[in-house]
């Protein structure tokens, strides 16, 4: 169940020829890039699909009744912090109520395992570059409506009585990401010759991970993860937003003059730094494969060849 991460996840498991599981995908296909993946025969030839909203309890119940899944990987969510500040009720509906609908159906139809894709943003914000990275035992301290809704959803999963895993991933990037996210938006602005907006000075630091590394981590947890445990997933590739934009300009060979510093609409809700200790998932044998520079070159190259994805 999901959008950007799971359109890539569906392709990932297909390309890996990992047919240990039969896949069923559920998406409301609001994002055009998700819709594009629906018609990719290579990804979905051995999987069934449904178009549905996870907050629609009757439809979700019908899908579970007919398909009888045994495992749920839940990645469907509203994810834009900026949008959450304007429409917090929408984020509560999708991320909290939607999760409850899936949990209720999972309990009713005897799901053996429920894996929820969460975010490192539930930990809140590190105040400086010297603070130690979060572990899975660090307290949750979300600072905006989006991260609050994800923390609430985590609490529902833990209280459900189902066997579960929770993944807390760092910032993902890669193919088919919505252009409201920093990296594809920067590429779009450069391609179209438009100003690249940078909130404030752009000093906010994030750990950047290629989405395919996240997909391989999810599959690792599915196969080897301990029951009722959370796992941090990151690439230990910290970079500030302004450095990221400048790196993309360097890769594309242009765009520096398009950088424009603007007022930060998030204000105090704009977390300064995210960093996680990922030794727990690495103990399962997982490591990220993409070096940041290699991943950015691959991503920029894909968007240059697929400019329709920037529309």
């Amino acid at each position: 169940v999901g959008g950007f991460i799971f359109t890539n996840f569906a392709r990932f498991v297909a390309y890996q020829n990992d047919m240990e599981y039969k896949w069923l995908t559920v998406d409301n296909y609001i994002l055009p890039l998700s819709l594009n993946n629906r018609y990719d025969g290579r990804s979905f030839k051995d999987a069934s699909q449904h178009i549905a909203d996870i907050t629609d309890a009757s439809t979700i119940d019908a899908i579970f009744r007919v398909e009888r899944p045994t495992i749920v990987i839940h990645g469907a969510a509203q994810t834009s912090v900026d949008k959450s500040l304007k429409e917090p009720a929408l984020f509560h509906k999708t991320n909290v109520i939607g999760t409850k609908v899936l949990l209720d159906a999972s309990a009713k139809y005897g799901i053996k395992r429920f894996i929820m894709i969460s975010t490192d943003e539930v930990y809140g914000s590190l105040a400086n570059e010297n603070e130690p990275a979060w572990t899975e035992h660090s307290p949750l301290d979300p600072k905006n409506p989006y991260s609050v809704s994800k923390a609430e959803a985590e609490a529902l999963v833990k209280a459900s009585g189902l066997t579960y895993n929770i993944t807390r991933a760092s910032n993902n990037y890669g193919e088919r990401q919505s252009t409201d996210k920093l990296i594809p938006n920067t590429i779009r602005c450069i391609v179209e010759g438009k100003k690249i907006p940078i909130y404030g000075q752009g000093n906010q630091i994030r750990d950047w991970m290629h989405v395919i590394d996240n997909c391989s981590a999810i599959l690792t947890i599915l196969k080897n993860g301990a029951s009722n445990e959370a796992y941090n997933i990151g690439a230990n590739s910290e970079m500030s937003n302004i450095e990221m934009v400048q790196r993309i300009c360097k890769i594309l060979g242009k765009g520096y003059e398009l950088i424009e510093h603007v007022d930060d609409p998030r204000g105090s809700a704009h977390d300064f730094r995210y960093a996680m200790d990922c030794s727990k998932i690495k103990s399962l044998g997982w490591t990220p494969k993409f070096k940041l520079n290699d991943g950015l070159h691959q991503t920029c190259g894909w968007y240059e060849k697929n400019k329709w994805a920037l529309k």
Side-chain angles (χ1 to χ4, degrees):
V1 183
F4 163 60
I5 291 173
F6 278 89
T7 55
N8 281 282
F9 185 76
R11 288 171 178 267
F12 174 77
V13 294
Y15 294 171
Q16 294 291 312
N17 291 315
D18 195 319
M19 293 294 104
E20 181 178 345
Y21 304 95
K22 179 180 178 181
W23 301 99
L24 160 69
T25 62
V26 179
D27 201 316
N28 61 8
Y29 292 102
I30 290 176
L31 295 178
L33 301 186
S34 298
L35 188 61
N36 170 259
N37 281 272
R38 177 173 168 75
Y39 298 104
D40 183 333
R42 183 176 179 186
S43 289
F44 292 115
K45 65 181 180 180
D46 295 316
S48 54
Q49 303 166 77
H50 293 276
I51 298 177
D53 189 319
I54 60 168
T55 65
D56 183 345
S58 61
T59 299
I60 294 299
D61 184 272
I63 292 171
F64 274 65
R65 184 174 66 251
V66 171
E67 298 287 357
R68 298 289 173 154
T70 55
I71 298 169
V72 170
I73 306 177
H74 169 33
Q78 295 282 348
T79 62
S80 168
V81 173
D82 291 344
K83 189 175 181 180
S84 78
L85 296 171
K86 298 176 182 177
E87 302 180 69
L90 173 63
F91 281 69
H92 179 81
K93 178 182 178 184
T94 301
N95 299 354
V96 182
I97 303 303
T99 298
K100 182 63 165 58
V101 168
L102 291 173
L103 289 169
D104 288 345
S106 296
K108 180 177 179 180
Y109 292 100
I111 292 297
K112 296 179 180 178
R113 195 157 166 213
F114 191 100
I115 301 176
M116 179 191 163
I117 311 306
S118 189
T119 171
D120 57 359
E121 296 190 42
V122 297
Y123 290 119
S125 176
L126 295 171
N128 56 62
E129 297 180 45
N130 298 317
E131 271 200 83
W134 296 304
T135 73
E136 289 83 357
H137 297 293
S138 298
L140 304 190
D141 188 23
K143 303 291 188 182
N144 57 67
Y146 162 57
S147 54
V148 166
S149 69
K150 295 296 282 187
E152 287 185 82
E154 284 195 23
L156 289 174
V157 171
K158 292 177 182 179
S160 68
L162 297 169
T163 299
Y164 70 85
N165 288 110
I166 293 170
T167 74
R168 297 177 183 140
S170 64
N171 280 40
N172 277 213
Y173 68 93
E175 301 173 8
R176 297 172 176 82
Q177 190 172 29
S178 172
T179 53
D180 66 340
K181 303 300 183 182
L182 179 64
I183 291 175
N185 184 57
T186 299
I187 297 170
R188 179 174 64 84
C189 288
I190 294 172
V191 168
E192 296 179 357
K194 297 179 178 178
K195 292 293 185 180
I196 307 167
I198 297 291
Y199 291 167
Q201 295 304 306
N203 294 326
Q204 298 84 6
I205 298 169
R206 301 292 181 263
D207 174 19
W208 297 93
M209 174 173 61
H210 196 285
V211 66
I212 295 304
D213 281 331
N214 194 15
C215 292
S216 68
I218 294 166
L219 195 59
T220 297
I221 292 167
L222 174 61
K223 293 183 175 183
N224 303 318
S227 297
N228 303 334
E229 294 284 348
Y231 289 91
N232 291 340
I233 307 172
N236 300 120
S237 297
E238 292 185 48
M239 182 177 289
S240 71
N241 288 346
I242 185 62
E243 289 174 318
M244 174 58 73
V245 170
Q246 291 170 340
R247 180 73 66 91
I248 294 170
C249 289
K250 182 178 180 180
I251 291 171
L252 295 180
K254 57 183 178 180
Y256 293 99
E257 75 285 356
L258 299 173
I259 296 173
E260 181 179 48
H261 294 273
V262 300
D263 291 339
D264 190 344
R266 301 184 189 180
S268 61
H270 205 156
D271 299 334
F272 174 66
R273 174 178 172 239
Y274 302 150
M276 294 185 296
D277 181 332
C278 300
S279 56
K280 186 175 180 179
I281 189 171
K282 289 180 179 179
S283 71
L284 301 181
W286 176 86
T287 55
K289 303 301 182 185
F290 281 86
K291 300 294 184 182
L292 181 58
N293 201 52
D294 294 339
L296 289 175
H297 272 86
Q298 183 270 340
T299 300
C300 289
W302 185 88
Y303 278 107
E304 284 191 298
K305 293 177 182 176
N306 296 275
K307 291 186 174 66
W308 55 267
L310 298 172
K311 301 299 182 181

